[in-house]
Amino acid sequence: MPSIPHSIILGGGIGGLSAAVLLAKAGRRVTLIECQNRLGGRLRRFWRDGIPFDTGLHFTSSLDGVLGQALVCLGVQDDIHHESFPWSLQFSNGRKLSFPNTGRSAFYDYLAQEFPKDTQALRNYQRRETEVLRNTPMFDLRDAPGDSVTLDDDADQITLADFFQQCGIHGDLATALGAPALYHGALPGEVPAARHFRISYGFEEQMQRLKRGGDPLCENFEHVLAQLGVEVRLNTRVIALRDFATGPIAREALLSDGTILPFDDLFTSLHPAEMPSMLPEERRPRFQRILKAVEDTCG
């Protein structure tokens, strides 16, 4: 009988936790390695002088959308409670917009009331944004693998600033629609319109915060990992990747506690710059050359 494939996960943040659950559900033996003394990474909050700090999960979009679908898929949705996270914009001219936070339709209706002279331009923008969202698979995990998807090439190739100009959107209205650019880190003249639409969706649909931050999710992940038989090693690092005898792929990991762990595949959320130190000295130069060729991104 063939042995069960063994997967190693490096990093116990939300990416590593999700990968561990999915691989274990697929029937693999999984070992999750985390250098800290608890799981969660930036998903988990910490406390100072009785004050909670959420380092990664500050707020989120509606749990009725793709995030809620993902939590159900992972089995970590129980006892996750949320509350409204209203947001507003304060302009330098003293004007303030307080968004309804009750869905995209209400968001655009509110802007139409605030900018009655720009209603037609606003509706054109809303229509094009809706087309892009409908053709973006990640907004509905229930799509079947064979579902056909038509990507909106035009909106992916024109900048947001040019798109505003095409629609006749300017001034405070352009500021209101472009505000989520603060979260994807690119100016309207640099970011493709379609990418901006995909980021803006959460702000327009419904902003929420999870009660107790990411801690309930971490607790649920720990429970599911235990149910699935995932081995979790805390306060542990991979010191070296070894056993390259069969080709360019490592098959063993030397851990900081001295354990040698054979594996079939390895998944990591570590920054690529941390990887060369784990490789045999003769294999580091090639990997470092690859790193130098990779451009920085805001992601």
Side-chain angles (χ1 to χ4, degrees):
M1 179 180 295
S3 61
I4 299 175
H6 182 203
S7 298
I8 290 181
I9 311 291
L10 301 187
I14 189 169
L17 292 169
S18 300
V21 169
L22 295 174
L23 288 165
K25 285 187 173 185
R28 302 182 78 87
R29 174 192 165 200
V30 179
T31 301
L32 178 61
I33 299 173
E34 168 57 48
C35 65
Q36 302 295 325
N37 61 4
R38 60 180 188 170
L39 295 175
R42 293 183 179 85
L43 181 63
R44 191 182 288 275
R45 62 172 35 181
F46 70 91
W47 295 75
R48 291 290 185 273
D49 300 324
I51 301 173
F53 291 85
D54 295 308
T55 56
L57 186 63
H58 308 295
F59 54 84
T60 182
S61 184
S62 171
L63 293 180
D64 294 330
V66 68
L67 175 60
Q69 294 175 17
L71 298 184
V72 170
C73 179
L74 292 165
V76 296
Q77 77 279 9
D78 292 342
D79 297 319
I80 301 298
H81 304 288
H82 57 80
E83 55 193 358
S84 180
F85 185 71
W87 68 291
S88 60
L89 283 178
Q90 180 75 51
F91 295 88
S92 59
N93 59 13
R95 184 177 194 174
K96 183 177 181 179
L97 298 179
S98 298
F99 299 104
N101 207 29
T102 53
R104 285 185 71 240
S105 294
F107 173 84
Y108 279 103
D109 288 344
Y110 172 75
L111 287 180
Q113 293 174 4
E114 291 290 323
F115 300 92
K117 295 181 180 180
D118 299 306
T119 299
Q120 187 57 52
L122 180 66
R123 295 307 183 189
N124 289 338
Y125 181 94
Q126 179 185 7
R127 176 182 57 79
R128 293 288 283 111
E129 181 187 70
T130 300
E131 290 174 359
V132 170
L133 297 179
R134 283 176 178 169
N135 291 321
T136 301
M138 68 179 182
F139 284 95
D140 192 342
L141 296 183
R142 294 167 298 189
D143 288 340
D147 285 352
S148 60
V149 175
T150 303
L151 296 180
D152 195 307
D153 293 333
D154 179 55
D156 273 307
Q157 295 174 7
I158 187 174
T159 68
L160 179 63
D162 288 340
F163 191 79
F164 281 156
Q165 188 173 9
Q166 283 187 4
C167 293
I169 290 174
H170 50 79
D172 287 353
L173 179 56
T175 300
L177 294 171
L182 294 171
Y183 295 92
H184 57 63
L187 297 172
E190 299 173 355
V191 66
R195 184 183 303 174
H196 182 79
F197 297 161
R198 295 171 184 127
I199 297 295
S200 300
Y201 168 80
F203 294 87
E204 298 168 6
E205 181 62 26
Q206 190 174 21
M207 297 301 295
Q208 298 176 340
R209 67 160 64 91
L210 298 187
K211 293 184 178 179
R212 294 178 55 217
D215 283 354
L217 274 176
C218 292
E219 293 161 7
N220 287 355
F221 269 114
E222 290 172 345
H223 178 68
V224 172
L225 292 178
Q227 284 185 324
L228 294 171
V230 173
E231 179 185 8
V232 176
R233 297 195 179 208
L234 301 176
N235 299 306
T236 306
R237 297 176 181 271
V238 172
I239 301 300
L241 296 174
R242 315 187 333 173
D243 187 13
F244 289 85
T246 58
I249 301 175
R251 293 301 180 190
E252 286 183 353
L254 173 62
L255 307 185
S256 54
D257 61 5
T259 302
I260 297 176
L261 202 60
F263 62 85
D264 293 283
D265 46 34
L266 182 147
F267 301 83
T268 178
S269 56
L270 298 179
H271 193 285
E274 297 185 46
M275 300 303 292
S277 63
M278 302 179 192
L279 299 175
E281 190 169 348
E282 68 274 12
R283 294 182 177 269
R284 294 176 189 174
R286 183 173 183 272
F287 193 88
Q288 288 168 334
R289 287 195 297 271
I290 295 173
L291 285 179
K292 289 180 180 179
V294 177
E295 295 182 4
D296 287 338
T297 70
C298 66

